[in-house]
Amino acid sequence: MAVNLDWNNLGFKYRDTAGHMEYVWKDGAWDAGAFVAEPWLKMHIAAACLHYGQECFEGLKVFRQKDGRVVAFRPEANAERMQRTALRTCMPPVPTEMFMDALRRLVKANADYIPPYGTGGSLYIRPLLIGTGAQIGVAPADSYTFVMLATPAGAYYKGGLKPVRAVILDDYDRAAPLGMGDVKVGGNYAASIFAHETAKKMGFPVELYLDAKTHTCVEEFATSNFLGIKKDGTYVTTDSRSVLPSVTNMTLREICADEGRKVEVRHVPYEELREFAEVAACGTAVVVTPVWQIVRGNETLTLGDPEKAGPVITDLFEKVQGIQYGELPDTHGWCVPIEV
Ligand SMILES: *Cc1c(COP(=O)(O)O)cnc(C)c1O
């Protein structure tokens, strides 16, 4: 089967593929999983995920590399994070072995949908764990479904990184201090969607959250972590119980450490923002989004050039992409080969 897609103009939107993987947990155990062609789930109207949000998800990418190999980028890190999220939401964790089995079967069946090397695209993988048992009282469900779906994604940046403006909206919080900010649940997105639409209407593609308790320290953007480069070159990222541990952030920190760049994971007071030479958001979908300006009420902090990302963020972006596409040596073994 040959798939004819406009590989250079895919963007980031859902497209159907050959199918997805589906596993069911019942009576204390996961089944062997099945590849399902149709992009539909049939579930009970009283399923726990629908009423009480018992669900979580992940996001990772599969790349076709320069030498033709197909690799997944740090999939075990996503499997482990999903296990932590599952425990926090009283769902049965998906063992890493099962997660990898799903990934291998899914990618093999959708090999035709992996964008060719050179287009800047990837196969985006979305694992999803939901409580499907029927109930009306609030309690963990008695059955679960694990879905892993794929969709081809295009290069986010065509012709180089594009800096954006961010806004801080003091009327909204994303995650409570002792809430669910550190796990990847849909509820965090439900909590941020109104603020996100508000920010968009104001002309800002991303919004930055401060700590919910005091609004004095930087936490993260709605869907990506915060990172800043100090004038002496130090890489700084925020430490908070309500920030999601980003695999991309971890990767960037490890690259910094390899290069002898100083890394700090700590509280970042809002007042310190003006001292950064470069600021960016980081996450799987884009790797980094440079931020050239941050607006909060009447205050505008200009941190960089609106036309061009700073040198450190540009260098880090190129290194991550270089490793993902097999153009640079993968010294940490982050790229896991997938047979197609
Ligand atoms: C998924 C996510 C990120 C990015 O994590 P990656 O593992 O780098 O993709 C950052 N913040 C939030 C709130 C997220 O949900």
Side-chain angles (χ1 to χ4, degrees), residues 205-226:
V206 292
E207 71 275 20
L208 179 61
Y209 286 94
L210 303 179
D211 72 286
K213 195 170 184 177
T214 68
H215 276 214
T216 57
C217 283
V218 177
E219 288 211 321
E220 64 172 322
F221 297 91
T223 64
S224 44
N225 276 188
F226 170 93

Side-chain angles (χ1 to χ4, degrees), residues 12-188:
F12 191 66
K13 63 171 192 187
Y14 176 79
R15 281 184 184 78
D16 278 336
T17 57
H20 66 274
M21 289 299 301
E22 235 176 272
Y23 296 70
V24 172
W25 188 93
K26 244 190 350 221
D27 304 325
W30 287 106
D31 69 8
F35 181 76
V36 180
E38 287 173 11
W40 310 107
L41 276 176
K42 184 163 181 177
M43 75 173 100
H44 198 282
I45 55 172
C49 62
L50 299 177
H51 297 255
Y52 304 122
Q54 200 187 19
E55 79 88 46
C56 70
F57 68 99
E58 274 299 329
L60 63 148
K61 282 179 167 179
V62 164
F63 298 88
R64 207 180 276 283
Q65 295 192 319
K66 197 175 172 192
D67 64 0
R69 279 201 323 166
V70 169
V71 303
F73 192 70
R74 309 194 74 171
E76 286 102 345
N78 295 92
E80 285 161 20
R81 186 168 66 190
M82 192 173 218
Q83 288 155 11
R84 284 199 304 276
T85 306
L87 293 174
R88 181 69 175 81
T89 45
C90 297
M91 296 197 276
V94 171
T96 301
E97 211 173 291
M98 178 177 139
F99 189 96
M100 293 304 295
D101 171 66
L103 182 63
R104 291 182 195 288
R105 290 163 74 184
L106 176 73
V107 173
K108 197 176 171 80
N110 285 302
D112 289 341
Y113 291 88
I114 311 168
Y117 172 75
T119 61
S122 58
L123 188 66
Y124 181 77
I125 309 293
R126 169 56 59 85
L128 178 70
L129 175 59
I130 54 176
T132 45
Q135 61 195 49
I136 214 72
V138 179
D142 62 3
S143 61
Y144 295 85
T145 297
F146 173 60
V147 170
M148 196 183 275
L149 64 91
T151 196
Y156 193 80
Y157 298 108
K158 285 195 237 165
L161 291 170
K162 181 85 189 79
V164 301
R165 295 165 77 216
V167 66
I168 294 171
L169 297 171
D170 278 293
D171 289 341
Y172 306 101
D173 292 317
R174 185 192 77 98
L178 302 176
M180 306 272 271
D182 60 340
V183 291
K184 211 167 176 74
V185 295
N188 290 339

Side-chain angles (χ1 to χ4, degrees), residues 127 235 240 327:
Y235 179 106
S240 162
E327 295 154 354

